[in-house]
Amino acid sequence: MKNYITLLFHELFILLITPASYIASVIFLLLTGAFYLYILSQYLVRPLEELPSSLFIQLYWVPALFVIPLLTMKSIAEERRSGTLQTLKTTSVSSFSIVFSKFSAAYLFYMFLWALTFFFPVIINKFIPTISLQMPLYDVASLKGGYIFLALSSFLFISFGIFTSSLTRSQLVAGIFCFTLIIAVTVLSWLLSSITQTVSSEISWLKSPLQYFQTVKYLKSSTVGIIDSRPFIYYTTNALIFLGLATLAIDAKKSS
């Protein structure tokens, strides 16, 4: 545990001095800010069925596609390229401590960025108070459920980034691979959502297992304040699997 804490603070420091972290932060705030303003503008044109906070959370995957690869692509790939990973492995630090500290640092940084979006309604209230009179900017249920979903889904997406970074010396390759995994999971969720609605009676037994992988379903229920236990299991178990694979990749490279 002591080694993990030391590594965690080191990784957080690295993130704070890395230009890619600031580039990722700017991209994140620009994307989320633009989405938030666009959603509010649509409410001014015509009332929508869902609350602005719910629609805002449902676009979580767009910043994830661009920001998470930037935050994680350097984590292990750069250390492998520079040779510091092999030096670290000669100490008493375990491979999983290395992997989990890098995961934790990226996760905390990414959650900090999402925490900044709490101030979007405050800023709108301050500078454009007329908008808050025409629509509800705050909704406790949707915000609570939505941000819980964000915290859970980020487990999996950041574990993708750590895993892909453990496979290569190239940051670019790691970033592209992470981007591909995130978009694949997102697209797969939409496809499964469509498939389960049109599944025939002959294979209706597949409907229940397929629903387990529908992250879209979890997202929509969370943004209306419904907390389900299934996303907790889905995201945490799959994140641990990819972190375990990253640990094995480090050990395999060492032995080879």
Side-chain angles (χ1 to χ4, degrees):
M1 179 59 71
K2 182 180 178 181
N3 289 334
Y4 164 73
I5 298 297
T6 302
L7 288 171
L8 174 60
F9 279 106
H10 171 73
E11 293 302 325
L12 286 171
F13 175 74
I14 294 298
L15 281 175
L16 290 175
I17 63 173
T18 302
S21 300
Y22 292 95
I23 294 172
S25 301
V26 171
I27 292 173
F28 177 88
L29 292 174
L30 287 176
L31 282 174
T32 53
F35 289 150
Y36 192 73
L37 288 175
Y38 175 76
I39 290 169
L40 294 184
S41 68
Q42 293 303 299
Y43 262 85
L44 292 176
V45 175
R46 69 185 190 283
L48 301 176
E49 293 182 1
E50 298 183 74
L51 294 169
S53 54
S54 297
L55 292 174
F56 176 66
I57 297 294
Q58 288 177 29
L59 293 170
Y60 76 104
W61 58 274
V62 180
L65 277 175
F66 300 99
V67 175
I68 290 178
L70 282 172
L71 289 178
T72 59
M73 64 184 185
K74 187 179 180 180
S75 57
I76 300 176
E78 177 61 21
E79 294 214 32
R80 192 186 296 286
R81 187 194 64 80
S82 63
T84 55
L85 182 62
Q86 293 303 319
T87 303
L88 190 60
K89 284 295 295 174
T90 60
T91 66
S92 60
V93 178
S94 67
S95 298
F96 187 74
S97 293
I98 297 171
V99 168
F100 196 62
S101 63
K102 293 180 180 296
F103 166 83
S104 301
Y107 180 80
L108 289 173
F109 191 90
Y110 187 62
M111 286 296 97
F112 170 74
L113 293 180
W114 272 110
L116 293 177
T117 63
F118 275 115
F119 294 100
F120 285 177
V122 177
I123 294 171
I124 294 297
N125 234 357
K126 176 71 174 177
F127 295 100
I128 319 177
T130 54
I131 291 183
S132 61
L133 298 176
Q134 301 179 51
M135 67 189 73
L137 296 180
Y138 300 94
D139 180 71
V140 175
S142 63
L143 288 174
K144 179 182 176 181
Y147 279 91
I148 287 175
F149 178 86
L150 284 172
L152 288 173
S153 62
S154 299
F155 274 144
L156 182 58
F157 292 160
I158 292 176
S159 70
F160 285 165
I162 301 299
F163 168 66
T164 57
S165 185
S166 71
L167 298 178
T168 178
R169 295 172 181 265
S170 170
Q171 296 181 43
L172 180 60
V173 172
I176 293 173
F177 191 13
C178 178
F179 178 93
T180 304
L181 284 177
I182 293 174
I183 201 168
V185 168
T186 307
V187 171
L188 178 63
S189 175
W190 287 103
L191 288 176
L192 289 177
S193 180
S194 300
I195 290 172
T196 53
Q197 294 176 9
T198 59
V199 67
S200 63
S201 57
E202 290 79 5
I203 55 172
S204 58
W205 57 274
L206 280 174
K207 188 170 184 177
S208 182
L210 288 175
Q211 285 179 340
Y212 175 75
F213 297 97
Q214 292 181 44
T215 56
V216 175
K217 179 181 177 182
Y218 302 146
L219 171 60
K220 289 185 177 180
S221 62
S222 296
T223 53
V224 294
I226 300 174
I227 308 300
D228 194 340
S229 62
R230 286 175 294 180
F232 283 86
I233 299 171
Y234 174 81
Y235 287 112
T236 54
T237 54
N238 284 291
L240 288 173
I241 288 172
F242 277 94
L243 292 178
L245 291 174
T247 304
L248 292 175
I250 290 178
D251 289 334
K253 294 285 185 180
K254 178 192 175 186
S255 61
S256 60

